[in-house]
Amino acid sequence: ATDAELEQAIEEALEAGYRHIDTAHVYENEKVIGKVLNRWLTSGKLNRKDLFLVTKLPPNGLTPQGVPKYLKRSLEYLQVDYVDVYLVHTPFGFKDIDGNLHPHTPEGLIDFDPTTDHVAVWKAMEAQVDAGLAKAIGISNFNIKQISRILENARIPPVNLQIELHAYHQQKELVDFCKKHNIAITAYSPLGSPGLGKFMARFGH
C-alpha cells in the first residue's frame, strides 16, 4: 500500500471502531500509523488507553543494545510513549546495518548474526517493561525449545506468541504448550499466505 492508501485505511478502521493495531519495524508503516494516531489523540477523538498497540523488534535488533534502540525508534515513529505489547519478531538475528532491514552478504544471502543470544535479548526486553516503554512483552515465530529457554531464565515471562496459524498449519503441540504456560496465541495469516513464496523470493529463499 502507498502511504496515502494506508493512511486512509487506518482512518476508516478507527472510525469503524478498530482499536487494536499490530505493526512492526520491518513493515515500514509505523510513521504513517503514528501520523494518524497523533491526529486522533491530539484532537481528543481518542485517549491513548483506548488503543492496544503492538509492534516488534526487528531481526537487526536482536542484541541487548538493539532492543532499546529499536523500541525507542518505533515509539518515535508511532508518536506514543509506550506500546501495549512489544514482541521479538523472529528468533534469528541479522547484522545491524542502519538503513538496511535485510542486509545481504557479498554472495547475495541474508547476512545473519550468529551471536544472537535469546536470554540476553530477553533481559533487555524486560528492562523495557521496567522503564514503562512496553506494558508487556512477547515473542513471534519462536518454537517450543526456544520459548522454554526464555521461560527458564525469565523474570517477566512472555505474554504472547504470534505465529502463522490456519487450517493447513495448525501447530497443535506449540499451541498446547503455550496454553499450559499462560502464553496467549495470536494467529497471523489465519486464511493462509499464498503470496509468501513470491515475497520470500525477493530475499533469495
Side-chain angles (χ1 to χ4, degrees):
T2 65
D3 285 359
E5 289 169 335
L6 179 59
E7 188 174 339
Q8 184 180 353
I10 299 163
E11 281 281 353
E12 295 287 348
L14 291 173
E15 287 286 0
Y18 280 74
R19 295 295 180 261
H20 176 186
I21 296 177
D22 180 290
T23 184
H25 185 73
V26 299
Y27 299 165
E28 298 184 86
N29 62 13
E30 290 174 316
K31 283 184 179 177
V32 178
I33 292 169
K35 179 181 177 183
V36 179
L37 292 182
N38 182 257
R39 196 155 58 225
W40 278 63
L41 292 169
T42 55
S43 69
K45 288 176 78 173
L46 265 186
N47 293 315
R48 173 64 186 88
K49 63 180 175 56
D50 299 326
L51 292 165
F52 193 87
L53 300 180
V54 181
T55 194
K56 307 175 193 76
L57 176 72
N60 314 66
L62 238 68
T63 58
Q65 64 272 22
V67 173
K69 170 184 170 180
Y70 281 98
L71 177 52
K72 283 172 185 168
R73 188 173 293 180
S74 287
L75 292 174
E76 180 185 316
Y77 289 167
L78 291 167
Q79 300 187 49
V80 293
D81 297 326
Y82 68 91
V83 289
D84 295 276
V85 180
Y86 195 46
L87 302 177
V88 181
H89 204 153
T90 59
F92 49 82
F94 299 163
K95 296 284 176 62
D96 189 11
I97 301 166
D98 255 336
N100 188 349
L101 287 173
H102 302 98
H104 282 72
T105 65
E107 296 76 34
L109 301 173
I110 287 285
D111 199 358
F112 289 98
D113 179 0
T115 68
T116 298
D117 180 346
H118 292 161
V119 173
V121 167
W122 193 254
K123 289 187 186 312
M125 292 287 285
E126 292 173 329
Q128 307 316 299
V129 177
D130 296 337
L133 301 178
K135 295 288 186 187
I137 47 178
I139 45 189
S140 180
N141 301 302
F142 277 58
N143 63 32
I144 290 175
K145 184 176 180 181
Q146 293 160 341
I147 299 168
S148 296
R149 185 158 181 256
I150 287 174
L151 288 171
E152 286 162 11
N153 294 278
R155 176 171 55 86
I156 302 172
V159 300
N160 183 237
L161 171 69
Q162 193 170 117
I163 48 171
E164 181 177 359
L165 198 64
H166 47 76
Y168 297 102
H169 190 43
Q170 298 183 25
Q171 306 212 62
K172 291 181 179 179
E173 186 184 359
L174 180 55
V175 171
D176 288 343
F177 174 86
C178 287
K179 282 181 180 175
K180 189 170 129 186
H181 291 280
N182 296 315
I183 300 171
I185 295 280
T186 299
Y188 70 75
S189 301
L191 300 178
S193 49
L196 187 61
K198 190 184 293 186
F199 175 78
M200 294 304 283
R202 290 170 50 199
F203 306 112
H205 297 288

